[in-house]
Every structure is written in C-alpha cells, then in structure tokens.
Amino acid sequence: MRASVEAGRLHGNRRFFASSQRLAQPQPRCCVARLRTHTVAAQGNHASTSTSSSAPAHTPFVEDLAGALVEPEEVWPEGVSEKYWLWTFPGSSLQTRVRYFEAGTSGPPLLLLHGFGVGAYHYERNIAELSKACRVYAVDVLGQGSSWPVRAATAEDGLYISVDTWRQQLADFAVDVMKVGPSERCYVAGNSLGGLLAVQLAALRPELVAGLVLLNATPFWSFRPSLSAVSQGVWAMLPAGFGSVPVPQKLKDFIGKYWWDTLRRPGTIRTMLQLVYSDAGSVDEGTVKRILKATEQPLALDVFAAIALAPKP
C-alpha cells in the first residue's frame, strides 16, 4: 500500500486524502489504489437478504420491540449482497443483529468502516467498483445504521456503546464472517469514527490487519476515562455500570429533550452534512432519511445517551 492514497468521496462530491500505513509483515499489494468518484447505477431487484451460516435469516425482537429492525429496502448494484450476522455481546447473553454488505469473489479482503451516525451505505458508490479487485465487506457498527440488539439490554449485560465494544465486534466479524487471520489478513478503510476503529483494530489485533486506509479519521473519542484507568476522577462517585445500556431514565430524558431531539431533526442533519461535504448540493434527501430511520429504533435514544457517556478505550 502506498504511503498516500487518494480516495474519492464516500458520498457527495467530497474528496479525501487518505493516509495509509503498512503493518509489520510484508503483504500482497493492496487493491485500494483509488476510490473512484462516480455513481454506480442501481441494477436488478432489491438486495438479497441472507445471513452468515451461524445466524437465522430473521431474528425476532422480544420485549415489545417487534418490527424495530429495518428490513432491507435498498437497491444495490448487481453483485452487492445485504446480509445479517448474529453477534453475541461478550460476557452476556445479549444477541445483536449486525447488518453488512458483501461484494467480490477474489482478491484480498477489504473491510470498510463508516463514520458516526451513518452506516455502511455511506460506501454505496465505492463497494461495487472495489469488488472488481477485492472481497469487500462494509459493516454497520452496533447502534448505527441497521445493527441493533435483538432485545432491550439490561444492567446485567454490561453493554457500553464504546470503542472497546465496537473494536470487539469488528474483530469477531473479521474472524467469523470474513474468515481472516494470520494466514490472510485484511485491509481496513475507515472514515471519521471508522478510521479510529481501524487504528484500534490494527493496533490490538495485528494478526487480523494487513494495512489501513484512513479517511479523515477522528483522533480521539469520549471524555470519560477508560474503565481500566487507575484514576476515574468524578466518575468514581457514580454507581457501578453507570453509562452502560440502559441509561437511567431521568438522565435519558434530559439528553433526549436538550440534545437528541434537536440533533435528529431533518434540518439539523442536513446542515451538519453540508458542513462536512465540500459540495453542499450533494446532500440528498435519501441520506437524510437513512440517518433518520436509525433514530426511530426503540433503543436509539438509549444507545445515543450511552455513547455520550462511554469510556475511552
């Protein structure tokens, strides 16, 4: 992989200069030379729905959450499959239904990671093109896009919506779904939050990662000390498990009233997207609606509040 890789926009007419780094062991040349800036015309019917071999095609919600999962209604180019993977949060019985897209049958494995508040669909103009030379996987991290728990989390589950949780999800996904390991490691491309997660995955699970492509990666996440930190500051005065899902109701109501309800207004979303796209005119209603759809999940406010209270990795 070259020291600098020019990458086309994920969505809209935005362009990135993506820094990349080859990790310790020599690996085959990465297929990501350029993410082209063009629209791939949609073909065929709706993307197929399937799961990895370990998961049923449909996992029902319980505790009055029936129908909460967004069923596939994206129209994708031929050869791009929409799938679901059932992932159990480590240390608990909490199962999550994780959406991902897959394309390509040959070449090195490539994992695409999206930024905060969106989903793998942000790579819709890149997946089909990249699949000509790579086996491409684009996954929604937990609590984003269409990846959500199949039941309401309890305090006993100990679910923090944090970098540590997302990194573990991605490591398990790489092993269970992508089938990567020391004999064939994957390349990881991440935008914004996805870039931070890519670095975390490569640093702590180097046996899985051959190289990185960082697209405007965020340099930090959260203001709360890591749970393993000796000094917890004012956080030490809070009860054990504070900040995990479910968030205390009064705090959740406060966050919902003064933060969440404002952020998820269509006008707010549109304005925020226009700030990060070099061509503000490329912010289309489809993207706004996709972001809004995730906020309609029954657990969306709980997850958003938990993200705000999440510890550092």
Side-chain angles (χ1 to χ4, degrees):
M1 189 180 296
R2 303 300 184 188
S4 178
V5 179
E6 182 185 4
R9 69 185 174 99
L10 304 183
H11 203 278
N13 287 331
R14 183 180 185 179
R15 297 188 68 82
F16 301 93
F17 283 93
S19 62
S20 66
Q21 171 130 15
R22 179 178 295 282
L23 302 184
Q25 300 178 16
Q27 294 293 323
R29 183 178 178 182
C30 178
C31 65
V32 188
R34 180 185 295 268
L35 305 184
R36 297 187 180 179
T37 56
H38 74 286
T39 303
V40 180
Q43 304 175 28
N45 298 321
H46 292 305
S48 62
T49 306
S50 60
T51 66
S52 62
S53 59
S54 61
H58 295 283
T59 304
F61 268 57
V62 295
E63 298 185 20
D64 299 324
L65 299 182
L69 285 171
V70 179
E71 291 301 320
E73 50 185 54
E74 308 277 2
V75 179
W76 284 80
E78 185 177 355
V80 178
S81 300
E82 180 177 8
K83 301 184 178 184
Y84 285 88
W85 168 59
L86 198 63
W87 179 60
T88 301
F89 178 65
S92 78
S93 62
L94 180 64
Q95 291 186 320
T96 66
R97 191 169 182 252
V98 174
R99 182 177 71 166
Y100 67 99
F101 298 94
E102 180 180 354
T105 58
S106 62
L110 171 65
L111 175 61
L112 304 178
L113 304 180
H114 61 83
F116 177 70
V118 290
Y121 58 78
H122 233 209
Y123 289 98
E124 64 182 343
R125 300 186 181 189
N126 307 120
I127 293 175
E129 183 69 15
L130 290 169
S131 70
K132 295 176 181 179
C134 302
R135 305 191 320 268
V136 181
Y137 298 82
V139 61
D140 292 348
V141 298
L142 185 62
Q144 311 282 291
S146 291
S147 291
W148 297 87
V150 301
R151 64 166 171 81
T154 65
E156 289 72 26
D157 292 316
L159 175 62
Y160 289 90
I161 307 297
S162 65
V163 168
D164 285 339
T165 295
W166 288 325
R167 184 186 63 246
Q168 185 62 57
Q169 174 199 340
L170 296 174
D172 291 346
F173 179 84
V175 172
D176 296 347
V177 179
M178 299 177 68
K179 307 300 182 186
V180 302
S183 61
E184 184 183 33
R185 299 184 291 168
C186 68
Y187 292 95
V188 186
N191 169 232
S192 190
L193 170 62
L196 175 65
L197 297 178
V199 171
Q200 284 276 320
L201 183 63
L204 297 178
R205 297 296 302 272
E207 77 279 10
L208 302 179
V209 181
L212 300 176
V213 179
L214 304 180
L215 309 172
N216 289 5
T218 185
F220 62 88
W221 192 259
S222 185
F223 55 86
R224 178 180 178 179
S226 169
L227 294 179
S228 61
V230 175
S231 175
Q232 291 290 316
V234 296
W235 295 91
M237 297 184 290
L238 298 171
F242 183 83
S244 63
V245 181
V247 172
Q249 187 63 47
K250 289 185 178 180
L251 179 57
K252 186 168 66 174
D253 290 344
F254 178 84
I255 292 175
K257 181 178 180 180
Y258 293 103
W259 196 0
W260 172 248
D261 288 340
T262 298
L263 285 177
R264 66 179 183 149
R265 291 173 184 166
T268 304
I269 294 173
R270 195 174 297 109
T271 298
M272 293 173 67
L273 292 176
Q274 289 170 344
L275 289 174
V276 298
Y277 287 179
S278 62
D279 178 7
S282 66
V283 177
D284 57 79
E285 291 307 301
T287 300
V288 174
K289 288 179 180 178
R290 282 164 155 172
I291 293 172
L292 280 173
K293 183 168 286 187
T295 72
E296 296 167 0
Q297 295 279 352
L299 298 178
L301 176 53
D302 251 313
V303 165
F304 178 79
I307 289 173
L309 302 169
K312 294 179 181 178

